[in-house]
Amino acid sequence: MFFFIARRLLQAVGVMLAVGLIAFALFQFVGDPVNNMTGQDTSLAEREALKEELGLNDSVFVQFGRFIGNAARGNFGHSYRQRRPVDELIWERFSATIELSAVSALLALLIGIPMGVYTALKRHSWLSRAFMTLSLIGVSLPTFLIGIFLILIFGVTLNWLPTFGRGEVVDVGGWTTGLLTLSGIKSLILPAVTLAVFQMTFIVRLVRAEMLEVLRADYIKFAHARGLAARAVNFGHALKNTLVPVITVIGLQIGSIVAFAIITESVFQWPGMGLLFIHAIHEVDIPVMAAYLMLIGLLFVIINLVVDILYYAIDPRLRLS
Amino acid sequence: MESMASNMQNTVEQNAGASPSTPLLDIRGLTVEFPGRRGNLVAARDVSLALAKGEILGVVGESGAGKSTIANAVIGLLDPPGRMASGEVYLAGRRIDALRLPAMRAIRGRRIGMIFQDPLTSLDPLQTIEAQLLETITAHLGMTESAAQRRAVELLDAVGIPEPSARIKQYPHQFSGGMRQRAVIALSLCAQPEVLLADEPTTALDVSIQSQILDLMRQLVRERALGMLIITHDIGVISEIADRVAVMYCGAVVETGATAQVLARPAHAYTKSLIAAIPRPDRKTARFRLVQQHATVESTARRLDVKTHWLGQRRSFDGDGDGDGDGDSGVDSSNASNAALVELENLCMRFTTVPSVFKSRRRYLDAVDDVSFSIRRGEVFGLVGESGSGKSTIGRLICGIHAPHAGRIRFAGVPLDARGSRRALNRLRRQMQMVFQDPFSSLNGRMRVRDIVAEPIRFHRMAEGAQLRAIVLDLLDYVGLGGAAAPRFPHEFSGGQRQRISIARALATRPRFLVCDEPTSALDVSIQAQILNLLKDLQQELGLTMLFISHDLPVIRQMCDRVGVMKSGRLREVNDTETLFTAPRHEYTRHLLDLMPKLDILSGDGGDGDNPN
Amino acid sequence: MARFLDSDLWWDFKHSPLVMTSAAITALMFLVALFAPQVAPYDPFDMASIDLLDALRPPAWAEGGSVAYLFGTDDQGRDVFSTILYGSRISLLVGFLSVIMAMLIGVLVGLIAGYKGGWLDAVLMRIADIQLSFPAILVALLIDGVVRGILPRGAHEELAVLVLIVAIGLSFWVQFARTVRGSTLVERTKEYVLAAQVTGLPDTLIVFRHILPNVMGPVLVIATIQLALAIIIEATLSFLGVGVPPTSPSLGTLIRIGNDYLFSGEWWITVFPGLALIVLVLAVNFLGDWLRDALNPKLR
Amino acid sequence: QANTFRFAFQGDAQSLDPHGLNETFTLSLLGNVYEGLTAYDGDLGLIPALATAWEITSPTTWRFNLRRGVTFHNGNSFNADDVIFSWRRMIADGSDQKSRAGLISAINRIDDYTVEAVTDAPQPTLAREMVYMYVMDKEWSEANDSTQPASPRTAGRENAYSTLNANGTGPFTVTERQPEVKTVLRRYDNYWGDIDSNVTEVIFTPIAQAATRVAALLSAQIDLAYPVPVQDWNRLDNTAGVRALTGPEARTIFLGMDQGRDELLYSNIKGKNPFKDMRVRKAFAHAINLDAIKRTIMRGASTPSGLLWAPQISGYRAATNTPYEYDPEESKRLLAAAGYADGFEVTMDCPNNRYVNDEKICQAVAGMLARVGVTVDLLAQPKSKYFAKVLAQGGYDTSFYLLGWTPGSIDVYNVFQNLLSCQNSEQKRGQFNLGNYCNSEVDRLADGIGSETDADARQSLIDAATRIVQREVGYLPLHQQPLSWGVRDGIAVTQRPDNVLDLRYVVVE
Ligand SMILES: Nc1ncnc2c1ncn2[C@@H]1O[C@H](COP(=O)(O)OP(=O)(O)OP(=O)(O)O)[C@@H](O)[C@H]1O
Ligand SMILES: Nc1ncnc2c1ncn2[C@@H]1O[C@H](COP(=O)(O)OP(=O)(O)OP(=O)(O)O)[C@@H](O)[C@H]1O
Ligand SMILES: [Mg+2]
Ligand SMILES: [Mg+2]
């Protein structure tokens, strides 16, 4: 167990270093930061001084080391655009994105997994055919279209739900949350559904495919041959075995929810990191891009670690050695 | 999976009170179909079988004969789209094939236990053995938790698992193959069924474990007065365990009778040919006898005059110049026949089983450990030993698929290692070929047969154009396939035919050394006999030197001049075949010979048959 | 060919009207996109042929519509029907080329990693892992962002399509690499590969002649599904304003433009491109879905 | 009782620093928090603010009497020192108000509540320029290390306090500031003035997507949204509870051409600059159909214009407002005469989120030019990138562009100074004359317009200069764009022609 976790952690550090390298490379590729920091009347001498002060004359390795060191402390420099520390900018937006993603992920899982199981077990019933067709339509609909149509229907036509922003938020120990106010929750519904649709349909299909594989396994046949009740076979044996491969993919999928939030956030003007990032892209605001990249990397690493530990808990074959 | 329960409504409760004379399990006129787009495939046709209390009924037949289908139909677990087209199944006089699902579930496990073929995949990997036992016991016997627990431990003990109370908490992956098979048996017995259906319960197991499992099952049947249906294609297993035997061919039962009678005096033609094809462990025969009607392929083989044909031409491999130089033909006679062609000296091969950055955490496996022997020119050298003992690895080392970890290999006196030039190595490489075990994976399914055979010739630039085409057709003829096979794809051929393609490919470089790595273990005995005959003929005609790898002692006895015995990577004994079989020196060899099924009851005319040709 | 016509795949295909419809739709959209200049009544990229005075005509069947403009015109007077044809052309172009690029990279990496194994495999697969943690949309956005920074101002717009292809292609290769590696690991130990090794064939020949054809089945399935995804991602990027410029709009750009007219009643500007996108992606997805099931012998 | 007013704009104020960026929305939002010495009323009439009265004591000297009893939001009182401090700050490095503050060469303190501004040349419109010269508290700025303007454009290394915090004298204080997310203003109880508004709290949200913005208004989540797309006016008017609030904006949209360089930066014509040829410029002028743009893209809501300034601007004379005629044949003839019978290629820079339908106008223009043979490569970008490219700090990196202009002083001199004078960075003239249209006669006349105090004489100078510019086709004016707001019923607002939302006039029912 210790070795297992230690190895994973080591890998995680490796991944973060690699992501750091990419983020660092962004700065190197995309022009001279001094140009982005100074006005046009800054003199050459001042530029040189600034360069020296920023350490841009050091070797690339020293700079990379410093970048990683700063990043580890959450220091990503200043946004070229907003002239504020990037970590502060990101932190302001962090809770919005995380709440949106978490709720979507939950929606996707709570609806997606049962639907996947159902469609696998009742492969030929009309309901599962309907589910499968719906899920196919779900993966074929671009997220932004879903968002627009939800706004049109539930916001404008029916006037049931807010169509933009996060509603009232309250601050709970430094974490702003919209989950504790009615307007916050109402504001969350449309974006969360929009974001969840794709992931949900994806999970339905994934669970179904894996479950079908498992249902064909010899031990399922053997379980039937032992005369076990259908429920015991389907849920006690088949579902659990299905979840093993599904967990990894779902883990990755949850990571991508955060990235896909970019689209949802810009359709719903949701004040999260995605909106920040898309603005940064438009304006080539490298420090923000780099920080966001590292953050997604970190998120992935954490999710993976959790998935691995879950794996470890579910699958006894890993516990050996 | 429960297709059969639904398509039969008439749940007739006839023969309610079973009289002592009614068989325990009675299958009457069972026909099973698999509807497919090319029409119905009839997997079992009008099969009738009866099984009495305390009786072991063996079902034999070649692969695809419909053996498993019968067992699956009895228990109502036909794979979709399979369905029972007609027939009835009675359990202790009560009809069960038309039962509804809940009633069927009550029978499964409780009254009919089933053992599937593969012990490695029959257990849920995520649950402990205990959990799986408990759920079955409580589902059927309605015991309390603790009583069920006690019973589970007893069962494990009964099937011979050491320290059952500790082992029961473990997961399947912590069990060895044999233990898993025992656990599967325990699971199928845990609700005290009256009938046990065992579908090839020992095929995936080692010979020694196989004999233990068979002993166990025999003992259980006797003790508990079960009726047991055992399905296998291994006549050896049948002869050891079955009271009666049913022979299946193409979905139909062609012969039933007491084991001794069927094996000794087969009545049906198929049974005859089957039995004739079984390699005799007790004496060596020149060729396998093949009953004519089942050996049609054999007769189509066109004999080539190897003295004049390309295949036999310029087969001089000695000398320093290029191998294709002098026109010396036929079997090379330049050297004394007992000179070694292949010599292994202190060969070692180590695989890393657990890779790690840290040396201390790496785990190794010495698959071949300090092995030395030599193979004489023109001889067939056999290599036996249990699974995983390193036989294949030796073959692969010689052919250059793996590089040895230590030691050296000499071929025709030339050391085979990377120090030689690529060209020289290539020339030597061309002189050896390999025939593999699995005819299904040893051919590239995306290539036409003619390209498969032509590739080595083309690659070594030994012929091209029209000549190449002619050679390929000749080779296919020579192995008994005929030129019509050339433009087809491997999947259109049966296992035996594919193995012939493999052989043709191996011959394509005109090798003088052939490694046969269990070339027939995936084949039915009758087809095995054809292939072994073919190999024997080729060997003699072309003067091939052969390394013949097998774990099947009877086959080794029929094929080899000398034999090496392997165990855990080490060579335990090397000897002349007859000496080895009659007077084994090493203890392990003796152990192996002991486990070999005796098959004393085999019909007498399985012996030195006359050669059809 | 005869082998194909005789195959289960073809039989399956012929017996599923839904799949045949999808195939027909896909083929139709492909052909129409390919021959857009011949099929489309107008050339929406040709500024000189557009007349602002024709702007905002409703579809032909609606009041005020004209048969000259089947699906009406947009705010610039472009024929919506033609822009959809040309737009699908760009969407499909981006989709196709990016998937082909991803396929080339992925298959190659997968083959090398699977066949060579060892540290090379470890390194390549770690890279794949890292790549996998960045969803396609993010990678595409990032590459786009970086390219904006690197390229001289203005050049980006011209290269937008190329940038999109590279961005999407680079984010898609992992799926291929992983699958191919997995299959290669299996194939590598199969005896036909050993047989080729015994013959002395060089590794490259073994990999490309023997292994590659045997691992292509799943690759095709992934390619189909990725194609649908690539089309969506292109549309999304264009919707977010980092895709192709509005002067040569893709379906996504068209939807973004039309989006401005959702409340004003000119629904056709966004609805028709939206429908075209959905139908195209749905058809491709249907095909991919079916292909996956059909090529998986276990699901029969 | 509490009255909350919510509104949305398409972008956010880029900073809370009043001197950091000279951009309409930033100044307009900050105008509720900060104040200048003078102010506009709802019709752009000049009214006293922090100065109660002013007079021109000599042609180059202005005397301002400051208001007494004014306190900043932090309680500090306002006096002459703050005025002088703020002016200094406005001419310091990083300030974007240099062109305004630079008109003044010195501000002298007469006493605590009187200052005297000295200019190099006579500046008849100085009092109007004062509107956007917001006054900061000297003590507060010093205490918070914010004596230098923090400009978002010259992104710096450390966080500048003044970008996130504000301390003005205006009727509203900033209570919450989340850039690009939300800004909350609260009524300042000690405000010196008496204003119409009964709003106690203002919540401002930037919403970038027009559809989302309109949807928010339609679903009553906000009280006011601007701009709303002109095509949505009907929808708003037909929806109960909301209405479109429209009117002519004092902003003129026009096209500019690089007439300064000897070779265009972005064109296939090498070795010469086609725009230096008057016939080419004229050909462009005749190629563009202003009415078509008005009718389709602007939904009839724009006012085609032949001038660079709108009727609201002092110095406007209807008689001179004659747009160029749409005559593609003439245009082709002129191009042929200039040697471009087959046309040429040029890249057009265009913002895509700054003016009403800016990108669409550019597309339409490109289409129209294509019909006379000129191929236009359109490069439409978000405003921040667009401005960074085409403005002075980007080195006027453009050949052909679209720009909109509202003279901040609501006086035509501002146009002459910024758009029509030759580029001269020392004199801070022609700074927004991106194509460097340059005619010394116009420059001379502009000087006169700047200093002439007699109205009739001044008007004739304006007319003379206008004629020159029109004849030479220095610019291609397109139209005055409409103001396009969407407002919920029950909200009374005053829509200023310069598209400024002044919260002083917002009344919630
Ligand atoms: N699910 C299925 N679908 C279609 N055909 C099937 C299916 N299962 C079995 N068959 C066919 O039924 C026939 C009998 O198969 P069965 O498995 O009973 O043979 P077997 O005698 O057990 O062979 P083996 O020794 O290889 O296990 C074969 O021809 C097989 O191809
Ligand atoms: N490529 C490999 N990597 C790691 N271990 C290997 C490899 N090939 C073989 N081994 C191991 O080496 C041992 C010997 O294998 P080998 O295939 O030579 O046995 P065998 O005698 O041919 O057995 P069988 O009868 O099952 O074919 C086995 O334990 C096997 O697991
Ligand atoms: Mg079977
Ligand atoms: Mg082996």
Side-chain angles (χ1 to χ4, degrees), chain B residues 251-266:
Chain B
V253 174
V254 293
E255 189 166 353
T256 337
T259 306
Q261 179 228 317
V262 172
L263 294 191
R265 287 179 304 283

Side-chain angles (χ1 to χ4, degrees), chain B residues 351-353 365 367 386-393 402 437 518 551:
Chain B
F351 290 111
T352 312
T353 50
L365 177 91
E386 65 188 353
S387 180
S389 56
K391 308 183 295 289
S392 300
T393 307
H402 298 311
Q437 166 180 8
E518 318 215 9
H551 58 247

Side-chain angles (χ1 to χ4, degrees), chain A residues 94-131:
Chain A
F94 188 70
S95 69
T97 294
I98 292 301
E99 281 183 5
L100 174 63
S101 308
V103 171
S104 309
L106 225 59
L107 269 181
L109 289 179
L110 293 184
I111 301 175
I113 292 182
M115 256 168 88
V117 171
Y118 179 84
T119 49
L121 290 179
K122 301 257 151 66
R123 195 143 84 96
H124 299 290
S125 85
W126 68 267
L127 191 59
S128 39
R129 279 175 208 274
F131 280 164

